[in-house]
Amino acid sequence: MSQHLDSRLLLGVSGGISAYKSVDLVRRLKERGFEVRVVMTQAATALITPLTFQAVSGHPVRTRLFDPVAEAGMDHIELARWAEWLLIAPATADLMARMAAGIADDLLTTLVLATDAQVCLAPAMNQHMWRHPATQENLETLRARGARILGPIDGDQACGDVGPGRMLEPIEIAESIRPRAEPPLAGVRVLLTAGPTREPLDPVRYLGNRSSGRMGYALANVLCDLGAQVILVSGPTELPAPPVVELVSVETAAEMHAAVMGRTTACDLFVATAAVADYRPASPAAHKIKKDAAELSLRLIRNPDILAQVAALPNPPFTVGFAAETREVERAARDKLTSKGLDMIAANQVGEPLGGFESEDNALTVLWDGGRRDLPMMTKTRLARELALLIVERYRERHAAST
Ligand code: C5P
């Protein structure tokens, strides 16, 4: 996840019955661009399983201080440094008391002492416990130390009481930490090519390639999520259509070229993920070629380079290309970045056991003028998100420089 766009939030879950609402809270926080990691107290694990939080946050959940396996990954001090926000929801009376006293007898209270993060508390407890002078004094101590207190509210309680002590609803907690922002690509028009092309030899045969279109479709989905209006020009694939404003289905490179060149004026960002055939049969046969001859030669002619032509337009959009290479990946990609006049290129190694065209996973090295970033092996869906965030970052930087 890009650390430039998303804030790092550690969610502490203590043992109140409203812990079940914190599952939804993770989702709401992620919708607002937070990367969320979860720490639970032992009491919280009696109410809800760490696996549930792991599934919604996408990260392993920490529950113990002295956990050799977890500590070998990101130890608790690193975790405390990683966090920009420490949100505790629900915060029980007991947890607030231990925090106020500076006790560090479990992972969560240790993190409270070890972090510089902004601490936010969403208290939840029985109304008597909330009103108790000990709780109120602890609350004031924590507030005076800079903690932000979110709620609680008055209402029906799980124990049957009515009064103050109900945890704020997840959406209200998430909103008070960060309101849902306008998506980063709102109003940005994206033209994206994806999939393979097919170059006919005769009415039944074609020259093709191994592109599945997965990377391009995953990227189209993420760009739509980020608020862009996406036009997808796609070669033949088996994939379900992303929520784009227009899907143009093509077969050949020439059709893809025409579809793209007719739409460049209404486009701010051009992303070429398609595996376009470089050559096509010079004269496809009108009828099925018979196997009479012992040998058959094909004469191929060059297809237009769609990406290079878009980048060479007088007023080009921000252009992003892909380079699938079998060797010297980075050098070849850097050459293409320059020779095609691109703003950015994403390079990957193909023909290896891991990653590449037909795989679910891939890794990329992203290059631009004066910069690079490695995106390690991960699913194409996650990779698309990482790449899209990087594209947003570079696109915005270019726009900031030109305005
Ligand atoms: O030169 P090469 O084919 O390796 O460049 C790959 C990049 O150029 C990809 O982004 C691909 O979508 C784009 N391309 C194109 N038209 C072509 C060939 C490649 O848009 N005819």
Side-chain angles (χ1 to χ4, degrees):
M1 177 106 357
S2 167
Q3 301 185 348
H4 300 267
L5 284 170
D6 297 321
S7 300
R8 302 183 297 264
L9 185 143
L10 194 58
L11 174 66
V13 182
S14 64
I17 189 64
S18 36
Y20 78 92
K21 291 191 187 172
S22 303
V23 177
D24 185 41
L25 175 59
V26 175
R27 211 168 52 87
R28 304 288 183 183
L29 291 165
K30 287 178 71 176
E31 281 170 5
R32 283 157 184 80
F34 286 103
E35 182 181 357
V36 183
R37 286 175 184 260
V38 180
V39 168
M40 302 174 75
T41 63
Q42 280 304 311
T45 62
L47 296 160
I48 194 146
T49 71
L51 205 56
T52 308
F53 282 109
Q54 176 172 321
V56 285
S57 70
H59 293 289
V61 171
R62 296 282 313 260
T63 57
R64 287 184 296 131
L65 183 55
F66 302 112
D67 177 338
V69 176
E71 286 286 304
M74 190 191 273
D75 74 30
H76 65 277
I77 297 296
E78 273 177 81
L79 191 57
R81 285 201 193 114
W82 171 88
E84 290 165 335
W85 299 84
L86 173 57
L87 166 64
I88 303 181
T92 59
D94 170 69
L95 187 88
M96 294 199 318
R98 286 188 290 139
M99 282 175 70
I103 292 172
D105 61 351
D106 65 2
L107 177 61
L108 182 54
T109 48
T110 303
L111 289 167
V112 169
L113 292 190
T115 192
D116 276 340
Q118 169 64 57
V119 175
C120 301
L121 298 174
M125 67 200 71
N126 165 272
Q127 49 112 6
H128 283 293
M129 294 172 81
W130 173 252
R131 288 187 223 266
H132 197 285
T135 303
Q136 290 302 311
E137 269 170 40
N138 290 335
L139 190 70
E140 280 323 304
T141 305
L142 296 172
R143 208 195 298 271
R145 285 185 200 148
R148 276 173 56 194
I149 313 295
L150 315 172
I153 48 167
D154 263 46
D156 292 334
Q157 302 208 300
C159 52
D161 279 10
V162 179
R166 256 177 81 94
M167 187 169 89
L168 278 185
E169 289 305 315
I171 191 147
E172 292 167 313
I173 298 174
E175 279 287 309
S176 56
I177 292 192
R178 178 189 290 164
R180 199 168 183 164
E182 182 168 74
L185 288 179
V188 175
R189 299 160 305 173
V190 178
L191 187 58
L192 188 140
T193 66
T197 64
R198 289 178 180 172
E199 309 299 324
L201 290 164
D202 66 21
V204 292
R205 303 180 182 98
Y206 58 82
L207 291 179
N209 62 63
R210 293 179 185 279
S211 168
S212 63
R214 275 199 201 108
M215 190 65 215
Y217 274 56
L219 204 52
N221 272 303
V222 178
L223 291 167
C224 291
D225 272 1
L226 294 174
Q229 289 166 272
V230 181
I231 298 178
L232 172 60
V233 179
S234 175
T237 75
E238 307 266 281
L239 302 167
V244 293
V245 291
E246 189 186 359
L247 172 61
V248 189
S249 298
V250 297
E251 287 240 4
T252 65
E255 286 167 13
M256 185 172 277
H257 177 252
V260 167
M261 298 319 281
R263 289 172 173 83
T264 51
T265 43
C267 130
D268 306 301
L269 190 60
F270 178 63
V271 187
T273 72
V276 187
D278 291 322
Y279 294 91
R280 66 177 182 276
S283 30
H287 297 284
K288 188 178 172 193
I289 302 169
K290 301 285 181 201
K291 53 175 181 293
D292 305 331
E295 271 185 33
L296 180 68
S297 297
L298 289 176
R299 200 167 71 83
L300 304 176
I301 52 172
R302 278 290 290 270
N303 275 325
D305 189 317
I306 305 169
L307 177 58
Q309 285 193 16
V310 172
L313 287 170
N315 198 3
F318 186 94
T319 47
V320 183
F322 275 70
E325 303 290 340
T326 51
R327 59 190 170 152
E328 292 201 71
V329 179
E330 184 156 345
R331 204 171 59 109
R334 185 79 55 201
D335 286 350
K336 263 173 212 171
L337 180 75
T338 322
S339 65
K340 297 198 189 198
L342 310 179
D343 293 296
M344 217 169 155
I345 194 155
N348 69 318
Q349 177 109 27
V350 289
E352 293 286 308
L354 284 176
F357 278 154
E358 288 157 313
S359 169
E360 296 280 349
D361 293 337
N362 206 4
L364 293 172
T365 299
V366 188
L367 307 170
W368 59 91
D369 188 16
R372 75 190 293 287
R373 179 119 20 117
D374 281 315
L375 303 177
M377 190 66 69
M378 55 185 111
T379 64
K380 285 184 177 170
T381 315
R382 267 197 69 200
L383 193 62
R385 181 163 173 80
E386 300 276 336
L387 178 61
L389 292 173
L390 203 49
I391 294 175
V392 172
E393 216 174 284
R394 303 300 314 155
Y395 173 78
R396 280 183 172 171
E397 211 155 286
R398 225 246 343 237
H399 271 248
S402 63
T403 48

